[in-house]
Amino acid sequence: MALGPAAWAINLQTIYAMTPHACARPTSATIILSITLAIIAASGTAMSLRAIRREPTSEWAEAQGGRARNFMAWLGVGTGVIFALVILNQLAATLMISPCLR
């Protein structure tokens, strides 16, 4: 569940740190970084989907039917998708706006 927010935080801080250097010497490092971190956020979504589809083991089985486990898994799916889309949105802004504009 934490892969999406962690990938977004790393992406945001790295893009802000690289902006002064990108103006002096254009590079495609931010594009590669954003695509990689969006894939990492999407992999967190895939792991959460796998947790939903998998049958719980005996230590995770609950008398009420495992609602808390399913809730956390669906929450991981939602956060992974949203943060992957946010990273891709930041990538689109990086591609459209010059880093030299301040």
Side-chain angles (χ1 to χ4, degrees):
M1 190 172 102
L3 276 179
W8 168 75
I10 292 169
N11 184 55
L12 182 69
Q13 293 302 316
T14 307
I15 285 176
Y16 278 142
M18 291 177 71
T19 299
H21 306 292
C23 183
R25 189 181 70 206
T27 180
S28 62
T30 56
I31 297 169
I32 294 169
L33 176 77
S34 293
I35 292 171
T36 304
L37 290 172
I39 291 170
I40 289 172
S43 70
T45 301
M47 287 191 303
S48 294
L49 277 173
R50 193 177 71 204
I52 292 170
R53 293 184 182 138
R54 193 170 29 168
E55 197 64 33
T57 58
S58 62
E59 67 251 9
W60 288 97
E62 296 178 22
Q64 290 90 9
R67 293 183 193 158
R69 186 182 70 83
N70 282 339
F71 173 74
M72 291 302 291
W74 280 112
L75 191 62
V77 169
T79 57
V81 167
I82 287 185
F83 280 103
L85 289 175
V86 167
I87 292 170
L88 292 175
N89 191 19
Q90 289 175 340
L91 173 63
T94 302
L95 293 173
M96 288 189 241
I97 300 171
S98 171
C100 299
L101 296 176
R102 290 191 193 193

